[in-house]
Amino acid sequence: GEMRDSSVTLEVLTPAYAEKYASVMDRAGPRATKAKLSLKATVVSTALISLKPGSAKVLLFVNTVTSTAGSDVRPLNQNRVIMTMSRKDGRWIVSNLDAF
């Protein structure tokens, strides 16, 4: 799903990571809006790196397509992301993301 609704996004993040996420979005959001830039991310594959009681690390293979208003160019990037997750109230939530 799309990550446009910040209240929904914050429900799946730990409080510490939610602060980091908000900081990044506060900086990047206005620039993306001004440039009429959009990015669509699709997870194409996943692999479990580690699993412990209450925490997990997952490798995500993510394709992103960036588009800018008025341009037909839509570059595709193939990214790898390590998602660290924590167990909270019976649910898995994101505590960190590292792209490389």
Side-chain angles (χ1 to χ4, degrees):
E2 295 184 13
M3 299 294 267
R4 291 184 182 178
D5 184 348
S6 61
S7 64
V8 172
T9 302
L10 295 178
E11 287 179 13
V12 297
L13 306 178
T14 61
Y17 192 70
E19 283 185 30
K20 183 177 178 181
Y21 175 86
S23 174
V24 169
M25 293 307 289
D26 285 347
R27 289 193 312 271
R31 289 188 306 212
T33 301
K34 185 176 180 182
K36 297 183 179 174
L37 181 74
S38 66
L39 182 137
K40 181 179 180 181
T42 304
V43 177
V44 293
S45 189
T46 62
L48 182 63
I49 297 172
S50 67
L51 179 63
K52 299 176 185 173
S55 68
K57 283 193 184 226
V58 181
L59 175 61
L60 308 176
F61 295 88
V62 182
N63 287 350
T64 59
V65 177
T66 306
S67 59
T68 307
S71 174
D72 291 333
V73 178
R74 287 178 169 61
L76 167 70
N77 289 304
Q78 296 176 310
N79 304 289
R80 291 174 304 278
V81 176
I82 294 178
M83 177 184 287
T84 305
M85 305 184 79
S86 302
R87 193 88 168 145
K88 180 185 176 190
D89 300 329
R91 298 184 313 134
W92 288 101
I93 59 174
V94 178
S95 55
N96 198 36
L97 288 174
D98 287 309
F100 63 96

